[in-house]
Amino acid sequence: MDIFIETTPVFSEKVRSFSKSLLQVVLGSFFLALCAKVTIPMQPVPLSLQTLGVFILAMMIGGRNAGLAGLLYLAQATVGLPVLAAGANPLWIFGPTAGYLVAFPIAAYVIGTLVEKKSDSSLWVMFSIFCGQLIIYVLGALFLSRLIGMKMAVSLGVLPFLPLAGFKLILATSMSGLYLRIKKKFA
């Protein structure tokens, strides 16, 4: 008896959709690693382009895929690949940046999910990114506080980043509008 598997359009579409998502997740994790390499050394938390990378990923590939890209990025760090701002450190979860890193996939998911609901409003996109920034700063400060106390965690792990956070918020919102216009033009 011959077994014949017919390739139906539905099956082909599912494979194509899965392949596209998988590619987005893998490339997204590499994008976060690249953003980590653009760093200004500060103590105890360096300044990098990773948060901007999280915002961009969330808006471009959606909450689910951006969150998965963040998780894959953390998995790469955990196995010792040199994807972190400080290079390779499989014990990153015990370091001062752990909370920020853990927050990346969560923030990406939240931002992307919110933007998917109403991407045509710049104010909504800005609010979504603000929510993601808040998640990153809260988790970052909470994890950092276990090492240096909450007052120092806020003064060293949040306050120095706030001026640039506003710039990243505006830049990411502007990039979102540009991306949506380009996407509509070629859709």
PDB file of all heavy atoms in Angstrom, residues 39-43 45-47:
ATOM      1  N   THR A  39      27.722  49.569  23.057  1.00  0.00           N
ATOM      2  CA  THR A  39      27.674  49.733  24.501  1.00  0.00           C
ATOM      3  C   THR A  39      28.553  50.875  24.977  1.00  0.00           C
ATOM      4  O   THR A  39      29.648  51.078  24.462  1.00  0.00           O
ATOM      5  CB  THR A  39      28.155  48.427  25.181  1.00  0.00           C
ATOM      6  OG1 THR A  39      27.344  47.349  24.722  1.00  0.00           O
ATOM      7  CG2 THR A  39      28.067  48.501  26.676  1.00  0.00           C
ATOM      8  N   ILE A  40      28.045  51.576  25.984  1.00  0.00           N
ATOM      9  CA  ILE A  40      28.851  52.535  26.734  1.00  0.00           C
ATOM     10  C   ILE A  40      29.020  51.919  28.117  1.00  0.00           C
ATOM     11  O   ILE A  40      28.036  51.715  28.835  1.00  0.00           O
ATOM     12  CB  ILE A  40      28.166  53.908  26.843  1.00  0.00           C
ATOM     13  CG1 ILE A  40      28.004  54.518  25.450  1.00  0.00           C
ATOM     14  CG2 ILE A  40      28.957  54.837  27.770  1.00  0.00           C
ATOM     15  CD1 ILE A  40      27.177  55.785  25.416  1.00  0.00           C
ATOM     16  N   PRO A  41      30.247  51.573  28.492  1.00  0.00           N
ATOM     17  CA  PRO A  41      30.443  50.916  29.785  1.00  0.00           C
ATOM     18  C   PRO A  41      30.061  51.834  30.951  1.00  0.00           C
ATOM     19  O   PRO A  41      30.504  52.977  31.018  1.00  0.00           O
ATOM     20  CB  PRO A  41      31.933  50.600  29.821  1.00  0.00           C
ATOM     21  CG  PRO A  41      32.466  50.893  28.466  1.00  0.00           C
ATOM     22  CD  PRO A  41      31.486  51.753  27.764  1.00  0.00           C
ATOM     23  N   MET A  42      29.206  51.348  31.791  1.00  0.00           N
ATOM     24  CA  MET A  42      28.811  52.026  33.026  1.00  0.00           C
ATOM     25  C   MET A  42      28.705  50.942  34.092  1.00  0.00           C
ATOM     26  O   MET A  42      28.550  49.776  33.771  1.00  0.00           O
ATOM     27  CB  MET A  42      27.451  52.732  32.847  1.00  0.00           C
ATOM     28  CG  MET A  42      27.482  53.886  31.863  1.00  0.00           C
ATOM     29  SD  MET A  42      25.860  54.601  31.464  1.00  0.00           S
ATOM     30  CE  MET A  42      25.087  54.856  33.017  1.00  0.00           C
ATOM     31  N   GLN A  43      28.758  51.333  35.330  1.00  0.00           N
ATOM     32  CA  GLN A  43      28.640  50.367  36.415  1.00  0.00           C
ATOM     33  C   GLN A  43      27.417  50.672  37.262  1.00  0.00           C
ATOM     34  O   GLN A  43      27.140  51.831  37.501  1.00  0.00           O
ATOM     35  CB  GLN A  43      29.895  50.384  37.299  1.00  0.00           C
ATOM     36  CG  GLN A  43      31.129  49.846  36.622  1.00  0.00           C
ATOM     37  CD  GLN A  43      31.004  48.396  36.223  1.00  0.00           C
ATOM     38  OE1 GLN A  43      30.377  47.595  36.903  1.00  0.00           O
ATOM     39  NE2 GLN A  43      31.575  48.047  35.090  1.00  0.00           N
ATOM     40  N   VAL A  45      25.448  48.665  35.454  1.00  0.00           N
ATOM     41  CA  VAL A  45      24.712  48.264  34.251  1.00  0.00           C
ATOM     42  C   VAL A  45      25.187  49.115  33.081  1.00  0.00           C
ATOM     43  O   VAL A  45      25.120  50.341  33.142  1.00  0.00           O
ATOM     44  CB  VAL A  45      23.181  48.463  34.457  1.00  0.00           C
ATOM     45  CG1 VAL A  45      22.412  48.083  33.216  1.00  0.00           C
ATOM     46  CG2 VAL A  45      22.690  47.690  35.672  1.00  0.00           C
ATOM     47  N   PRO A  46      25.679  48.477  31.999  1.00  0.00           N
ATOM     48  CA  PRO A  46      26.137  49.257  30.851  1.00  0.00           C
ATOM     49  C   PRO A  46      24.958  49.830  30.052  1.00  0.00           C
ATOM     50  O   PRO A  46      23.843  49.308  30.105  1.00  0.00           O
ATOM     51  CB  PRO A  46      26.909  48.235  30.014  1.00  0.00           C
ATOM     52  CG  PRO A  46      26.288  46.932  30.368  1.00  0.00           C
ATOM     53  CD  PRO A  46      25.866  47.051  31.808  1.00  0.00           C
ATOM     54  N   LEU A  47      25.224  50.871  29.333  1.00  0.00           N
ATOM     55  CA  LEU A  47      24.232  51.457  28.441  1.00  0.00           C
ATOM     56  C   LEU A  47      24.426  50.820  27.074  1.00  0.00           C
ATOM     57  O   LEU A  47      25.535  50.817  26.538  1.00  0.00           O
ATOM     58  CB  LEU A  47      24.458  52.971  28.356  1.00  0.00           C
ATOM     59  CG  LEU A  47      23.584  53.748  27.391  1.00  0.00           C
ATOM     60  CD1 LEU A  47      22.134  53.711  27.857  1.00  0.00           C
ATOM     61  CD2 LEU A  47      24.064  55.179  27.297  1.00  0.00           C
TER      62      LEU A  47
END
